[in-house]
């Protein structure tokens, strides 16, 4: 695999040098072709090579394509760094509103996924501002949903409900069944935060009925399974909790998503503890704690620690 990537990069370097004079779009098209072919490692290394060879390339698109590839390689810290560089480049030259919207939204997502909702908030607010200026109903709904999630996590539940309801109304008017499934899951999240787990289960199950997801949301189904497992844990329906936790873990493994997998370990540790399987709970809890210590994620390390203490 490594040898094939090196051969590809060698050929790509020669190719890109030859076409760079023809226009930036040729470079971008070639990278996007590799990206769509899911050759993410090759894309990341190719972008790094391009930026060394030719500093005049479209920096924003180079960083953004690299960030998207890093996301699919489950390198969220690396993706976040490249998304921030994308925003810096786009703000400086202000050439592409669509890519700027994506960069702000993806930066917000990266912060949120890494457990930093406060850091995510201003990026989603800016994405909503751009979407509103473009009068793009689907993107407005999308950003409203993200903001609802953040306000819910920050304990501002009335504000979260306002954003979720507005997103739902837009998606209902658009008759967008895929978006409505996201709305169901968002309302489930809100019910969890309001300690209404039975209602959350209904919302989550409705969300899981729609298997189709938005483009590039490759881990959506896995996340929904994990949320349903956690909801069943709260209602102490432990067999169901373990069932959906196992399904979420299997999908995380298939995606090679170690961060999501270890989050499921924390939930499983709690399930085992309530089942009276204390040795298994302690073992998997310690594995999660070690992972998040190495990952340098204080929030999730605390979650793993709490699972061990409980």
């Amino acid at each position: 695999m490594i040898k094939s990537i090196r051969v590809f990069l060698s050929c790509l370097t020669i190719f890109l040098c030859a076409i760079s004079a023809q226009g930036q779009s040729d470079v971008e098209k070639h990278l996007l072709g590799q990206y769509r072919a899911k050759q993410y490692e090759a894309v990341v290394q190719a972008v790094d090579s391009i930026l060394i060879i030719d500093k005049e390339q479209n920096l924003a698109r180079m960083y953004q394509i690299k960030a998207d590839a890093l996301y699919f390689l489950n390198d969220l810290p690396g993706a976040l760094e490249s998304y921030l560089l994308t925003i810096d480049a786009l703000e400086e030259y202000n050439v592409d509103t669509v890519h700027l919207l994506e960069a702000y939204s993806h930066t917000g997502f990266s912060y949120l996924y890494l457990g930093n909702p406060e850091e995510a908030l201003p990026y989603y607010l800016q994405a909503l501002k751009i979407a509103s200026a473009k009068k793009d109903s689907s993107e407005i709904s999308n950003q409203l949903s993200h903001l609802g999630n953040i306000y819910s996590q920050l304990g501002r539940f009335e504000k979260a409900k306002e954003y979720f309801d507005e997103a739902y109304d837009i998606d209902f008017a658009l008759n967008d069944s895929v978006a409505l499934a996201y709305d169901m899951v968002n309302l489930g999240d809100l019910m969890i935060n309001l300690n209404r787990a039975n209602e959350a289960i209904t919302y989550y199950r409705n969300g899981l009925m729609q298997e189709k997801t938005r483009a590039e949301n490759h881990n959506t189904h896995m996340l929904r399974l994990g949320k349903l497992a956690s909801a069943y844990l709260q209602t102490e329906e432990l067999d169901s909790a373990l069932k959906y936790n196992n399904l979420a873990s299997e999908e995380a493994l298939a995606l090679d998503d170690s961060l999501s997998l270890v989050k499921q370990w924390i939930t499983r540790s709690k399930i085992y503890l309530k089942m009276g399987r204390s040795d298994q709970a302690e073992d998997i809890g310690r594995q999660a704690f070690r992972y998040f210590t190495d990952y340098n994620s204080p929030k999730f390390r605390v979650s793993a620690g709490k699972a061990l203490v409980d």
Side-chain angles (χ1 to χ4, degrees):
M1 176 66 179
I2 293 174
K3 182 179 179 181
S4 63
I5 290 173
R6 286 173 178 166
V7 171
F8 163 74
L9 287 173
S10 178
C11 295
L12 180 64
T13 298
I14 296 170
F15 173 76
L16 291 174
C17 287
I19 68 172
S20 60
Q22 299 177 28
Q24 295 172 349
S25 60
D26 290 330
V27 177
E28 182 178 332
K29 286 177 183 176
H30 192 85
L31 286 170
L32 289 175
Q34 297 301 324
Y35 175 82
R36 294 187 187 103
K38 299 183 179 180
Q39 296 182 11
Y40 302 123
E41 291 182 25
V43 170
V44 170
Q45 295 183 50
V47 170
D48 288 339
S49 297
I50 292 166
L51 294 175
I52 292 171
I53 296 166
D54 187 358
K55 292 291 186 181
E56 298 303 316
Q57 290 296 333
N58 184 338
L59 289 178
R61 284 301 285 149
M62 295 300 102
Y63 288 133
Q64 189 169 28
I65 293 168
K66 177 181 177 180
D68 289 344
L70 286 168
Y71 166 69
F72 279 99
L73 290 170
N74 301 310
D75 181 359
L76 266 295
L80 175 58
E81 180 182 357
S82 288
Y83 284 133
L84 290 169
L85 289 169
T86 302
I87 290 172
D88 287 344
L90 284 170
E91 289 284 12
E92 182 176 355
Y93 297 107
N94 194 25
V95 293
D96 196 314
T97 303
V98 173
H99 291 148
L100 186 60
L101 168 60
E102 290 176 353
Y104 271 107
S105 184
H106 292 175
T107 300
F109 173 84
S110 298
Y111 273 124
L112 189 61
Y113 199 73
L114 289 169
N116 299 308
E118 297 91 346
E119 296 283 354
L121 181 58
Y123 292 96
Y124 278 132
L125 286 171
Q126 186 63 23
L128 176 60
K129 182 179 177 180
I130 296 169
S132 298
K134 291 174 76 273
K135 297 183 180 180
D136 185 334
S137 296
S138 293
E139 272 301 334
I140 290 170
S141 170
N142 192 20
Q143 304 311 321
L144 287 169
S145 295
H146 291 313
L147 286 163
N149 278 323
I150 290 174
Y151 284 120
S152 182
Q153 289 191 31
L154 295 176
R156 299 175 62 180
F157 301 127
E158 289 186 10
K159 188 77 170 176
K161 185 71 160 54
E162 289 175 15
Y163 278 107
F164 286 148
D165 286 345
E166 190 174 349
Y168 181 89
D169 289 344
I170 292 171
D171 295 333
F172 187 82
L174 294 173
N175 194 28
D176 188 338
S177 60
V178 173
L180 286 169
Y182 282 86
D183 296 331
M184 291 293 103
V185 174
N186 289 335
L187 288 167
D189 291 344
L190 182 60
M191 293 302 104
I192 287 293
N193 285 321
L194 292 172
N195 295 315
R196 291 155 60 178
N198 281 312
E199 293 173 68
I201 288 170
T202 300
Y203 282 122
Y204 289 149
R205 292 183 69 88
N206 285 336
L208 278 168
M209 290 175 66
Q210 172 60 262
E211 292 189 6
K212 187 177 179 181
T213 61
R214 293 187 178 114
E216 299 190 352
N217 286 181
H218 67 304
N219 60 357
T220 295
H221 193 68
M222 177 269 296
L223 293 174
R224 290 175 182 173
L225 290 167
K227 291 173 187 286
L228 184 55
S230 295
Y232 276 124
L233 173 61
Q234 286 196 24
T235 61
E236 299 197 353
E237 297 173 77
L238 302 181
D239 288 338
S240 293
L242 188 57
K243 171 187 172 181
Y244 285 101
N245 178 264
N246 284 331
L247 289 171
S249 298
E250 288 171 7
E251 291 217 8
L253 277 170
L255 293 168
D256 195 23
D257 185 346
S258 60
L259 178 58
S260 293
L261 176 63
V262 181
K263 287 180 183 179
Q264 296 307 317
W265 289 355
I266 294 175
T267 302
R268 191 177 308 171
S269 177
K270 295 175 182 178
I271 296 170
Y272 282 157
L273 195 62
K274 283 191 174 289
M275 286 180 160
R277 296 158 64 175
S278 57
D279 289 345
Q280 289 173 284
E282 182 178 356
D283 180 59
I284 200 165
R286 288 190 184 283
Q287 291 181 54
F289 185 82
R290 284 195 297 270
Y291 175 90
F292 286 121
T293 299
D294 294 339
Y295 199 83
N296 194 26
S297 178
K299 176 181 177 180
F300 294 121
R301 186 168 65 246
V302 169
S303 297
K306 284 182 177 179
L308 281 170
V309 171
D310 293 340

